[in-house]
Amino acid sequence: MNAGRPPYPHVHQISVSDGGVPKRPVFEVKVGKDGVEGDRQENLKFHGGPDRAVCLYSLELIERLQDEGHSIDAGLSGENLTIAGLEWDLVKPGIVLSIGPELQLEVTSYTSPCSKNASWFREGDFSRISQKKNPGWSRVYAKVLREGVARPGDAVSVES
């Protein structure tokens, strides 16, 4: 656990964009059934919609990728919520995450990596975050079970 971080699983960063990647950090965001306020996706065939309303990724995996020499950072691969301190192996389709006092998400699927992520990876190997090629390294999509506001530092818990 890095100094300065809360000692519990939490939202490290919230990221949005006007389409595509990278997404840039914001202080807080409203999350509704249709997704994250102020965030837009370029290709709605593969991104967005109620079952792909929010994209999540692990800060610890990002840091391990950085250790491998990749230039990825929070928000760059298109995730809306970068989560720290959560055992990412637990994050799989069907689990429910509570975030802060209101927000509740259900993980619906692993997120297929997109070629637009190639620039963050050595030799353009964006398949490094492919669930099929590297199980456990994928971002995930979630649908919104209970709408709410998310802020950095909000506690994240896996519901049974």
Side-chain angles (χ1 to χ4, degrees), residues 11 13-17 23-26 29 31 35-41 52-57 75 77-83 139-142 150:
V11 175
Q13 182 173 302
I14 299 163
S15 306
V16 300
S17 80
K23 294 189 184 293
R24 299 293 180 205
V26 294
V29 76
V31 181
V36 176
E37 193 175 88
D39 189 49
R40 201 172 64 75
Q41 296 81 33
R52 300 179 299 206
V54 183
C55 183
L56 301 98
Y57 203 34
S77 71
E79 81 275 10
N80 301 114
L81 300 178
T82 309
I83 308 297
R139 299 159 297 151
V140 296
Y141 277 132

Side-chain angles (χ1 to χ4, degrees), residues 27-156:
F27 177 67
E28 72 174 27
V29 76
K30 285 184 184 163
V31 181
K33 300 280 186 201
D34 293 325
V36 176
E37 193 175 88
D39 189 49
R40 201 172 64 75
Q41 296 81 33
E42 285 182 348
N43 186 336
L44 295 176
K45 180 178 178 189
F46 298 106
H47 310 290
D51 284 342
R52 300 179 299 206
V54 183
C55 183
L56 301 98
Y57 203 34
S58 160
L59 180 63
E60 286 78 14
L61 289 184
I62 290 170
E63 290 171 340
R64 286 171 61 193
L65 289 165
Q66 290 169 342
D67 289 345
E68 292 176 9
H70 304 289
S71 63
I72 189 170
D73 208 344
L76 294 188
S77 71
E79 81 275 10
N80 301 114
L81 300 178
T82 309
I83 308 297
L86 186 64
E87 195 178 319
W88 201 247
D89 291 343
L90 300 175
V91 181
K92 47 185 62 133
I95 71 145
V96 173
L97 298 172
S98 287
I99 298 171
E102 306 166 321
L103 188 59
Q104 196 172 57
L105 306 176
E106 180 183 334
V107 175
T108 53
S109 64
Y110 295 106
T111 307
S112 296
C114 166
S115 61
K116 293 190 175 176
N117 280 308
S119 57
W120 327 125
F121 290 92
R122 284 194 348 247
E123 297 164 21
D125 184 16
F126 62 93
S127 73
R128 184 65 190 82
I129 58 171
S130 163
Q131 181 64 19
K132 286 182 182 145
K133 291 191 175 171
N134 294 291
W137 288 86
S138 178
R139 299 159 297 151
V140 296
Y141 277 132
K143 68 181 176 184
V144 178
L145 299 179
R146 193 170 60 232
E147 298 181 346
V149 173
R151 295 176 185 88
D154 278 353
V156 177

